[in-house]
């Protein structure tokens, strides 16, 4: 293999600038975190709402929620990025459209976050729906029989149980958000993948570059995994989760 | 505004877009068939009682699953020519990358499938004198495959969508073709809308089919 190794490349200055390559990567890491975490927050809120609506007795609301999920799930994320970046501004009223195209601050960041947030919300919604549907139907009836209204039944009976049950599947979705945020490079967000490509071209040390970037993505996925595991332990319903069930069966 | 859209450019560039879609389909099919084949081998390795083999397979699967696909595409595009000494086109690089990448995902599905076959079946196979490989081939894998068919197909739909990411290395798939056509006619907006529609129709139809398939069984 004919490759000139140079692991010191990260501390060298970039061509035609004062920054080092490490600065580029850290900036990229910052944007990756910013896009992923804001998109995740948005996905959780919208996903819980949409997933809940899908299980309500109201036909129009359930259909709307189903359409939401199908729309965001059946178009590749990269194509959705282009839709939000190039097409949606054209659909806005003229003044607003011009403002978005020319003056909106952090345009790439906002577009990418919105796109990734909505995309992920459809996946969170599916998990939440599955969680609610997995509950015995007696829970809903018991709630209503107690005189709770439907929203109260969801708020005090169904969601507290269902949301705890979906923590494990949501763990992998949380890890996916960081991975999927890499697609934002295509609309010019200065996140890790964008910086990786830029540094590869600029420094011609592709392997070192990709190694460092891959490591940073690993750190994201690993941290996400640990955080969710902590949440899972803290919110576990005694006697209902797998780990505790085993204990009960042996006694 | 939408009223300014000129959709006639789509009709003019249809043959060009079709050539892009052909590569997208070729990539999906190659990665699906190659991925399921390699994935089954990986699953067998992961479940194997030979410890180094199981560890190696587990590492491969976990590493592939925790790196963003775009980075995997960039890695292979960079490393393959360094290893082979000859430049490799973006299209061929994509075919190799997707097959090896998807193998990790199909492997986990096949592992679940193999584990879903009841212990009595496995024991019965050995009892009638099958060796390990005969037992796998005639008893376990056919059942594992059938049990997992809907999940394998769902993964293939995800794969079909993910092929759009070859955009990162400039391979000419449906998305790239639409971008080129959009530039030629100076109508990028119409092209993005059309391509989104094509992906949506194909994926929606496929996932509807999978849903019906798994309901009938």
């Amino acid at each position: 293999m004919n490759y000139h190794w140079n692991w010191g490349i990260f501390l060298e200055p970039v061509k035609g600038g004062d920054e080092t390559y490490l600065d580029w990567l850290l900036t990229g890491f910052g944007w990756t975190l910013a896009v992923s975490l804001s998109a995740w927050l948005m996905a959780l809120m919208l996903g819980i709402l949409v997933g809940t609506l899908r299980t309500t007795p109201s036909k129009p609301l359930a259909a709307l929620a189903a359409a939401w999920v199908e729309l965001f799930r059946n178009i590749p994320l990269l194509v959705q990025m282009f839709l939000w970046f190039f097409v949606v501004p054209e659909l806005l009223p003229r003044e607003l459209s011009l403002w978005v195209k020319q003056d909106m601050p952090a345009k790439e960041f906002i577009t990418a976050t919105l796109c990734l947030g909505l995309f992920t919300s459809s996946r969170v919604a599916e998990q939440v729906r599955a969680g609610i549907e997995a509950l015995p139907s007696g829970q809903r009836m018991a709630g209503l029989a107690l005189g709770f209204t439907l929203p109260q039944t969801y708020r005090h009976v169904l969601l507290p149980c269902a949301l705890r049950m979906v923590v494990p599947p949501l763990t992998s979705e949380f890890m996916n958000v960081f991975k999927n945020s890499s697609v934002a490079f295509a609309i010019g967000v200065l996140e890790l993948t964008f910086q990786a490509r830029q540094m590869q071209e600029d420094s011609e040390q592709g392997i070192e570059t990709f190694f460092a970037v891959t490591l940073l993505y690993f750190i994201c996925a690993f941290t996400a995994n640990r955080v969710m595991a902590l949440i899972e332990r803290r919110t576990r319903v005694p006697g209902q989760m797998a780990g505790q069930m085993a204990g009960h069966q042996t006694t | 505004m939408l009223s300014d859209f000129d959709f006639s450019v789509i009709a003019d560039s249809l043959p060009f877009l079709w050539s892009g879609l052909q590569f997208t389909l070729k990539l999906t099919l190659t990665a699906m068939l190659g991925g399921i084949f390699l994935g089954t081998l990986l699953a067998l390795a992961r479940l194997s009682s030979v410890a180094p083999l199981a560890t190696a397979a587990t590492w491969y699967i976990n590493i592939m699953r925790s790196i963003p696909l775009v980075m995997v595409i960039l890695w292979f595009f960079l490393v393959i020519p360094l290893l082979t000494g000859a430049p490799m086109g973006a299209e061929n690089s994509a075919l190799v990358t997707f097959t090896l990448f998807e193998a990790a995902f199909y492997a986990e599905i096949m592992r679940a499938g193999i584990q879903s076959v009841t212990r009595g079946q496995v024991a019965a196979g050995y009892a009638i004198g099958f060796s390990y490989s005969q037992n796998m081939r005639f008893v376990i894998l056919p059942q594992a495959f059938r049990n997992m068919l809907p999940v394998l197909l769902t993964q293939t739909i995800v794969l079909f969508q993910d092929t759009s990411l070859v955009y990162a290395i400039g391979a000419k798939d449906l998305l790239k073709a639409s971008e080129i056509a959009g530039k030629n006619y100076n109508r990028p907006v119409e092209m993005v809308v059309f391509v989104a529609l094509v992906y949506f129709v194909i994926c929606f139809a496929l996932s509807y089919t999978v849903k019906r398939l798994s309901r009938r069984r």
Side-chain angles (χ1 to χ4, degrees):
Chain A
M1 203 164 97
N2 195 6
Y3 186 81
H4 173 74
W5 296 92
N6 177 11
W7 287 99
I9 186 72
F10 301 108
L11 298 176
E12 290 176 19
V14 303
K15 283 177 189 150
D18 315 325
E19 304 159 289
T20 60
Y21 286 112
L22 187 65
D23 292 334
W24 275 11
L25 293 188
L26 290 180
T27 312
F29 191 50
W31 281 113
T32 290
L33 290 181
V35 170
S36 310
L37 293 177
S38 1
W40 179 241
L41 209 64
M42 192 174 145
L44 271 186
M45 292 190 295
L46 282 171
I48 292 172
L49 179 70
V50 173
T52 306
L53 287 182
R54 264 196 103 166
T55 63
T56 56
S58 157
K59 282 240 168 71
L61 282 180
L64 194 71
W68 177 284
V69 171
E70 294 300 336
L71 180 68
F72 291 113
R73 204 170 52 171
N74 285 313
I75 302 176
L77 180 59
L78 180 55
V79 178
Q80 289 191 35
M81 285 279 173
F82 289 153
L83 279 177
W84 286 105
F85 198 71
F86 296 114
V87 181
V88 170
E90 301 292 330
L91 304 176
L92 298 171
R94 194 167 178 76
E95 310 263 305
L96 192 61
S97 166
L98 275 176
W99 180 80
V100 167
K101 278 190 259 182
Q102 292 167 1
D103 300 324
M104 190 165 88
K107 184 188 173 195
E108 292 82 6
F109 167 73
I110 292 174
T111 312
T113 303
L114 187 71
C115 175
L116 186 58
L118 291 171
F119 174 82
T120 312
S121 81
S122 73
R123 304 166 64 117
V124 172
E126 278 301 88
Q127 304 294 357
V128 170
R129 174 178 75 117
I132 295 174
E133 283 176 353
L135 296 172
S137 59
Q139 297 234 345
R140 179 190 298 256
M141 292 180 217
L144 293 172
L146 274 173
F148 279 159
T149 61
L150 189 65
Q152 282 174 328
T153 308
Y154 271 103
R155 163 74 184 78
H156 298 290
V157 181
L158 299 176
L159 286 177
C161 250
L163 290 182
R164 286 167 177 182
M165 273 166 45
V166 297
V167 174
L170 286 186
T171 302
S172 59
E173 285 310 327
F174 191 28
M175 293 164 76
N176 279 340
V177 169
F178 290 99
K179 288 197 280 171
N180 287 334
S181 72
S182 63
V183 173
F185 85 90
I187 59 169
V189 180
L190 303 177
E191 47 72 69
L192 267 177
T193 303
F194 186 95
Q195 302 287 11
R197 285 159 53 103
Q198 197 183 14
M199 177 172 164
Q200 183 207 0
E201 265 181 33
D202 201 72
S203 69
E204 291 172 16
Q205 299 294 148
I207 294 187
E208 292 88 338
T209 305
F210 290 175
F211 189 84
V213 169
T214 304
L215 200 68
L216 289 173
Y217 275 118
F218 264 128
I219 292 172
C220 288
F222 184 75
T223 312
N225 186 294
R226 290 298 91 198
V227 168
M228 292 300 275
L230 187 75
I231 294 175
E232 193 186 331
R233 270 202 304 281
R234 286 280 169 83
T235 61
R236 185 176 282 163
V237 186
Q240 202 171 20
M241 297 294 137
Q244 307 244 333
M245 281 290 269
H248 279 278
Q249 273 163 358
T250 50
T251 52
Chain B
M1 294 295 288
L2 198 61
S3 53
D4 304 330
F5 280 16
D6 176 9
F7 285 101
S8 65
V9 294
I10 290 166
D12 294 339
S13 40
L14 272 184
F16 187 68
L17 292 175
W18 170 236
S19 70
L21 180 60
Q22 275 177 319
F23 177 69
T24 295
L25 294 176
K26 180 180 161 193
L27 181 55
T28 307
L29 281 178
T30 311
M32 178 182 81
L33 297 176
I36 290 178
F37 178 72
L38 289 177
T40 307
L41 293 183
L42 272 173
L44 291 178
R46 192 168 179 181
L47 293 171
S48 148
S49 50
V50 184
L53 199 62
T55 313
T58 307
W59 271 87
Y60 180 84
I61 292 169
N62 286 343
I63 287 177
M64 280 297 184
R65 287 171 67 97
S66 44
I67 309 177
L69 177 52
V70 183
M71 282 311 297
V72 179
I73 294 172
L74 292 174
W75 262 117
F76 276 82
F77 194 52
L78 173 79
V79 170
I80 295 175
L82 284 176
L83 290 177
T84 60
M88 191 181 218
E91 278 79 12
N92 286 332
S93 179
L95 288 169
V96 175
T97 308
F98 271 82
T99 306
L100 293 177
F101 180 79
E102 289 300 325
F105 286 79
Y106 285 120
E108 284 300 88
I109 299 173
M110 285 313 290
R111 182 171 71 113
I114 292 169
Q115 286 173 331
S116 76
V117 177
T118 51
R119 294 234 301 272
Q121 293 279 330
V122 184
Y126 285 125
I128 58 171
F130 277 160
S131 67
Y132 170 82
S133 60
Q134 283 173 324
N135 210 6
M136 273 297 163
R137 206 176 128 206
F138 298 115
V139 181
I140 302 170
L141 285 181
Q143 296 187 64
F145 201 77
R146 277 190 64 141
N147 290 347
M148 287 296 130
L149 196 60
V151 193
L152 289 169
L153 290 175
T154 305
Q155 178 61 34
T156 306
I157 300 174
V158 174
L159 157 65
F160 173 71
Q161 294 192 15
D162 281 348
T163 57
S164 61
L165 295 178
V166 296
Y167 180 86
I169 53 171
K172 211 193 87 185
D173 70 327
L174 175 61
L175 181 62
K176 187 75 193 171
S178 81
E179 195 194 45
I180 297 170
K183 272 190 186 132
N184 287 348
Y185 289 96
N186 200 18
R187 283 281 168 192
V189 174
E190 285 84 346
M191 286 299 165
V192 176
V193 174
F194 179 69
V195 155
L197 213 63
V198 172
Y199 276 113
F200 181 83
V201 169
I202 295 177
C203 292
F204 188 77
L206 285 176
S207 58
Y208 181 76
T209 316
V210 174
K211 223 176 276 170
R212 285 198 47 174
L213 194 76
S214 50
R215 205 176 297 154
R216 213 179 48 199
R217 280 143 38 93

